[in-house]
PDB file of all heavy atoms in Angstrom:
ATOM      1  N   LEU L  68       0.563   1.487 -10.879  1.00 93.00           N
ATOM      2  CA  LEU L  68       0.854   2.848 -10.426  1.00 93.00           C
ATOM      3  C   LEU L  68      -0.317   3.468  -9.615  1.00 93.00           C
ATOM      4  O   LEU L  68      -0.097   4.008  -8.540  1.00 93.00           O
ATOM      5  CB  LEU L  68       1.263   3.749 -11.581  1.00 93.00           C
ATOM      6  CG  LEU L  68       1.822   5.129 -11.162  1.00 93.00           C
ATOM      7  CD1 LEU L  68       3.055   4.988 -10.275  1.00 93.00           C
ATOM      8  CD2 LEU L  68       2.185   5.930 -12.379  1.00 93.00           C
ATOM      9  N   PRO L  69      -1.575   3.382 -10.133  1.00 94.00           N
ATOM     10  CA  PRO L  69      -2.685   3.911  -9.298  1.00 94.00           C
ATOM     11  C   PRO L  69      -2.799   3.203  -7.948  1.00 94.00           C
ATOM     12  O   PRO L  69      -3.168   3.850  -6.968  1.00 94.00           O
ATOM     13  CB  PRO L  69      -3.919   3.665 -10.154  1.00 94.00           C
ATOM     14  CG  PRO L  69      -3.397   3.602 -11.567  1.00 94.00           C
ATOM     15  CD  PRO L  69      -2.014   2.973 -11.448  1.00 94.00           C
ATOM     16  N   THR L  70      -2.534   1.915  -7.929  1.00 95.00           N
ATOM     17  CA  THR L  70      -2.576   1.174  -6.622  1.00 95.00           C
ATOM     18  C   THR L  70      -1.513   1.689  -5.705  1.00 95.00           C
ATOM     19  O   THR L  70      -1.791   1.893  -4.505  1.00 95.00           O
ATOM     20  CB  THR L  70      -2.396  -0.338  -6.888  1.00 95.00           C
ATOM     21  OG1 THR L  70      -3.395  -0.758  -7.797  1.00 95.00           O
ATOM     22  CG2 THR L  70      -2.511  -1.124  -5.637  1.00 95.00           C
ATOM     23  N   LEU L  71      -0.333   1.941  -6.214  1.00 94.00           N
ATOM     24  CA  LEU L  71       0.775   2.446  -5.364  1.00 94.00           C
ATOM     25  C   LEU L  71       0.455   3.905  -4.934  1.00 94.00           C
ATOM     26  O   LEU L  71       0.687   4.312  -3.798  1.00 94.00           O
ATOM     27  CB  LEU L  71       2.080   2.383  -6.148  1.00 94.00           C
ATOM     28  CG  LEU L  71       3.330   2.765  -5.347  1.00 94.00           C
ATOM     29  CD1 LEU L  71       3.454   1.915  -4.085  1.00 94.00           C
ATOM     30  CD2 LEU L  71       4.556   2.634  -6.231  1.00 94.00           C
ATOM     31  N   GLU L  72      -0.131   4.662  -5.818  1.00 93.00           N
ATOM     32  CA  GLU L  72      -0.523   6.009  -5.457  1.00 93.00           C
ATOM     33  C   GLU L  72      -1.589   6.046  -4.379  1.00 93.00           C
ATOM     34  O   GLU L  72      -1.561   6.871  -3.457  1.00 93.00           O
ATOM     35  CB  GLU L  72      -1.065   6.783  -6.709  1.00 93.00           C
ATOM     36  CG  GLU L  72      -0.012   7.127  -7.719  1.00 93.00           C
ATOM     37  CD  GLU L  72      -0.539   7.612  -9.008  1.00 93.00           C
ATOM     38  OE1 GLU L  72      -1.762   7.542  -9.223  1.00 93.00           O
ATOM     39  OE2 GLU L  72       0.278   8.031  -9.841  1.00 93.00           O
ATOM     40  N   ARG L  73      -2.477   5.076  -4.395  1.00 93.00           N
ATOM     41  CA  ARG L  73      -3.492   4.923  -3.318  1.00 93.00           C
ATOM     42  C   ARG L  73      -2.824   4.686  -1.999  1.00 93.00           C
ATOM     43  O   ARG L  73      -3.210   5.240  -0.944  1.00 93.00           O
ATOM     44  CB  ARG L  73      -4.466   3.811  -3.679  1.00 93.00           C
ATOM     45  CG  ARG L  73      -5.562   3.646  -2.666  1.00 93.00           C
ATOM     46  CD  ARG L  73      -6.573   2.645  -3.103  1.00 93.00           C
ATOM     47  NE  ARG L  73      -7.650   2.570  -2.140  1.00 93.00           N
ATOM     48  CZ  ARG L  73      -8.736   1.822  -2.315  1.00 93.00           C
ATOM     49  NH1 ARG L  73      -8.897   1.171  -3.418  1.00 93.00           N
ATOM     50  NH2 ARG L  73      -9.653   1.803  -1.365  1.00 93.00           N
ATOM     51  N   ALA L  74      -1.834   3.804  -1.982  1.00 93.00           N
ATOM     52  CA  ALA L  74      -1.101   3.522  -0.797  1.00 93.00           C
ATOM     53  C   ALA L  74      -0.412   4.758  -0.256  1.00 93.00           C
ATOM     54  O   ALA L  74      -0.421   5.060   0.937  1.00 93.00           O
ATOM     55  CB  ALA L  74      -0.064   2.428  -1.011  1.00 93.00           C
ATOM     56  N   HIS L  75       0.209   5.562  -1.172  1.00 91.00           N
ATOM     57  CA  HIS L  75       0.854   6.750  -0.794  1.00 91.00           C
ATOM     58  C   HIS L  75      -0.093   7.810  -0.201  1.00 91.00           C
ATOM     59  O   HIS L  75       0.180   8.502   0.757  1.00 91.00           O
ATOM     60  CB  HIS L  75       1.646   7.370  -1.925  1.00 91.00           C
ATOM     61  CG  HIS L  75       2.267   8.686  -1.663  1.00 91.00           C
ATOM     62  ND1 HIS L  75       3.260   8.842  -0.721  1.00 91.00           N
ATOM     63  CD2 HIS L  75       1.975   9.954  -2.112  1.00 91.00           C
ATOM     64  CE1 HIS L  75       3.584  10.116  -0.649  1.00 91.00           C
ATOM     65  NE2 HIS L  75       2.818  10.810  -1.479  1.00 91.00           N
ATOM     66  N   ARG L  76      -1.256   7.973  -0.821  1.00 90.00           N
ATOM     67  CA  ARG L  76      -2.263   8.892  -0.368  1.00 90.00           C
ATOM     68  C   ARG L  76      -2.754   8.531   1.043  1.00 90.00           C
ATOM     69  O   ARG L  76      -3.050   9.358   1.874  1.00 90.00           O
ATOM     70  CB  ARG L  76      -3.436   8.998  -1.303  1.00 90.00           C
ATOM     71  CG  ARG L  76      -3.193   9.847  -2.542  1.00 90.00           C
ATOM     72  CD  ARG L  76      -4.473  10.148  -3.312  1.00 90.00           C
ATOM     73  NE  ARG L  76      -5.294   8.969  -3.572  1.00 90.00           N
ATOM     74  CZ  ARG L  76      -5.122   8.177  -4.631  1.00 90.00           C
ATOM     75  NH1 ARG L  76      -4.227   8.441  -5.555  1.00 90.00           N
ATOM     76  NH2 ARG L  76      -5.917   7.141  -4.806  1.00 90.00           N
ATOM     77  N   SER L  77      -2.830   7.200   1.305  1.00 90.00           N
ATOM     78  CA  SER L  77      -3.318   6.728   2.631  1.00 90.00           C
ATOM     79  C   SER L  77      -2.288   6.923   3.687  1.00 90.00           C
ATOM     80  O   SER L  77      -2.606   7.131   4.847  1.00 90.00           O
ATOM     81  CB  SER L  77      -3.686   5.251   2.530  1.00 90.00           C
ATOM     82  OG  SER L  77      -4.714   5.065   1.593  1.00 90.00           O
ATOM     83  N   ALA L  78      -1.015   6.832   3.308  1.00 90.00           N
ATOM     84  CA  ALA L  78       0.096   6.983   4.266  1.00 90.00           C
ATOM     85  C   ALA L  78       1.264   7.729   3.593  1.00 90.00           C
ATOM     86  O   ALA L  78       2.189   7.146   3.170  1.00 90.00           O
ATOM     87  CB  ALA L  78       0.572   5.633   4.747  1.00 90.00           C
ATOM     88  N   PRO L  79       1.143   9.075   3.551  1.00 86.00           N
ATOM     89  CA  PRO L  79       2.193   9.861   2.850  1.00 86.00           C
ATOM     90  C   PRO L  79       3.576   9.724   3.427  1.00 86.00           C
ATOM     91  O   PRO L  79       4.558  10.021   2.748  1.00 86.00           O
ATOM     92  CB  PRO L  79       1.683  11.270   3.009  1.00 86.00           C
ATOM     93  CG  PRO L  79       0.343  11.223   3.560  1.00 86.00           C
ATOM     94  CD  PRO L  79       0.066   9.876   4.105  1.00 86.00           C
ATOM     95  N   ASP L  80       3.741   9.229   4.661  1.00 85.00           N
ATOM     96  CA  ASP L  80       5.071   9.123   5.243  1.00 85.00           C
ATOM     97  C   ASP L  80       5.667   7.726   5.015  1.00 85.00           C
ATOM     98  O   ASP L  80       6.796   7.477   5.488  1.00 85.00           O
ATOM     99  CB  ASP L  80       5.003   9.363   6.741  1.00 85.00           C
ATOM    100  CG  ASP L  80       4.691  10.825   7.054  1.00 85.00           C
ATOM    101  OD1 ASP L  80       5.032  11.699   6.206  1.00 85.00           O
ATOM    102  OD2 ASP L  80       4.115  11.113   8.101  1.00 85.00           O
ATOM    103  N   ASN L  81       5.000   6.833   4.332  1.00 90.00           N
ATOM    104  CA  ASN L  81       5.469   5.485   4.113  1.00 90.00           C
ATOM    105  C   ASN L  81       6.639   5.551   3.122  1.00 90.00           C
ATOM    106  O   ASN L  81       6.482   5.898   1.952  1.00 90.00           O
ATOM    107  CB  ASN L  81       4.350   4.597   3.576  1.00 90.00           C
ATOM    108  CG  ASN L  81       4.786   3.154   3.464  1.00 90.00           C
ATOM    109  OD1 ASN L  81       5.676   2.794   2.649  1.00 90.00           O
ATOM    110  ND2 ASN L  81       4.154   2.302   4.257  1.00 90.00           N
ATOM    111  N   GLN L  82       7.831   5.184   3.617  1.00 89.00           N
ATOM    112  CA  GLN L  82       9.072   5.321   2.850  1.00 89.00           C
ATOM    113  C   GLN L  82       9.101   4.320   1.678  1.00 89.00           C
ATOM    114  O   GLN L  82       9.631   4.627   0.626  1.00 89.00           O
ATOM    115  CB  GLN L  82      10.283   5.130   3.743  1.00 89.00           C
ATOM    116  CG  GLN L  82      10.434   6.260   4.759  1.00 89.00           C
ATOM    117  CD  GLN L  82      10.570   7.614   4.087  1.00 89.00           C
ATOM    118  OE1 GLN L  82      11.311   7.779   3.126  1.00 89.00           O
ATOM    119  NE2 GLN L  82       9.858   8.575   4.608  1.00 89.00           N
ATOM    120  N   ARG L  83       8.525   3.166   1.908  1.00 92.00           N
ATOM    121  CA  ARG L  83       8.541   2.115   0.855  1.00 92.00           C
ATOM    122  C   ARG L  83       7.719   2.606  -0.359  1.00 92.00           C
ATOM    123  O   ARG L  83       8.137   2.471  -1.498  1.00 92.00           O
ATOM    124  CB  ARG L  83       8.020   0.813   1.402  1.00 92.00           C
ATOM    125  CG  ARG L  83       8.130  -0.350   0.444  1.00 92.00           C
ATOM    126  CD  ARG L  83       7.761  -1.629   1.172  1.00 92.00           C
ATOM    127  NE  ARG L  83       7.526  -2.685   0.180  1.00 92.00           N
ATOM    128  CZ  ARG L  83       6.762  -3.721   0.447  1.00 92.00           C
ATOM    129  NH1 ARG L  83       6.139  -3.831   1.566  1.00 92.00           N
ATOM    130  NH2 ARG L  83       6.572  -4.624  -0.481  1.00 92.00           N
ATOM    131  N   ALA L  84       6.527   3.137  -0.113  1.00 92.00           N
ATOM    132  CA  ALA L  84       5.685   3.655  -1.180  1.00 92.00           C
ATOM    133  C   ALA L  84       6.365   4.829  -1.878  1.00 92.00           C
ATOM    134  O   ALA L  84       6.392   4.876  -3.126  1.00 92.00           O
ATOM    135  CB  ALA L  84       4.332   4.126  -0.610  1.00 92.00           C
ATOM    136  N   LYS L  85       6.993   5.736  -1.106  1.00 89.00           N
ATOM    137  CA  LYS L  85       7.688   6.886  -1.746  1.00 89.00           C
ATOM    138  C   LYS L  85       8.838   6.387  -2.615  1.00 89.00           C
ATOM    139  O   LYS L  85       8.974   6.875  -3.769  1.00 89.00           O
ATOM    140  CB  LYS L  85       8.283   7.773  -0.657  1.00 89.00           C
ATOM    141  CG  LYS L  85       7.299   8.685   0.003  1.00 89.00           C
ATOM    142  CD  LYS L  85       8.020   9.560   0.991  1.00 89.00           C
ATOM    143  CE  LYS L  85       7.081  10.455   1.774  1.00 89.00           C
ATOM    144  NZ  LYS L  85       7.782  11.307   2.717  1.00 89.00           N
ATOM    145  N   GLY L  86       9.586   5.435  -2.115  1.00 89.00           N
ATOM    146  CA  GLY L  86      10.734   4.904  -2.875  1.00 89.00           C
ATOM    147  C   GLY L  86      10.293   4.264  -4.188  1.00 89.00           C
ATOM    148  O   GLY L  86      10.918   4.476  -5.239  1.00 89.00           O
TER     149      GLY L  86
END
Side-chain angles (χ1 to χ4, degrees):
L68 191 58
T70 302
L71 187 57
E72 289 170 351
R73 181 175 184 174
H75 174 67
R76 283 192 310 272
S77 299
D80 292 332
N81 187 295
Q82 294 302 315
R83 188 170 165 208
K85 283 183 183 180

